[in-house]
Amino acid sequence: MRAVRGVAMSAFLWQKSSYSHQGANCLNIAASNDGTLRLRESDTPDVVLAPAARSLGALLRAIKSGWPLPVP
């Protein structure tokens, strides 16, 4: 995953995660013109990540499966 620098944030149509509540700590996602995805966290909107599709898919599958398990 790499940080994207020098790109105007208005260049993307950001969508808030359906799991985010009103207020802070929201994850936003956008598609760029080249078809890759961009991620940012609402508390730091100037930091934009460009994950590789395979890495993002693996992360989402892990989260959906319940990993990592809570520590007792």
Side-chain angles (χ1 to χ4, degrees):
M1 196 174 317
R2 63 183 175 85
V4 178
R5 299 188 197 303
V7 176
M9 295 304 105
S10 61
F12 301 116
L13 179 60
W14 293 101
Q15 296 178 351
K16 183 171 68 168
S17 167
S18 61
Y19 289 97
S20 297
H21 299 289
Q22 295 297 329
N25 301 322
C26 298
L27 178 66
N28 302 137
I29 189 167
S32 68
N33 289 338
D34 65 4
T36 58
L37 295 177
R38 302 292 190 255
L39 300 174
R40 72 178 183 183
E41 204 275 323
S42 62
D43 288 345
T44 53
D46 292 338
V47 177
V48 178
L49 301 177
R54 180 176 282 171
S55 299
L56 181 58
L59 174 63
L60 294 175
R61 283 189 299 278
I63 291 169
K64 287 179 180 181
S65 74
W67 178 90
L69 298 175
V71 177

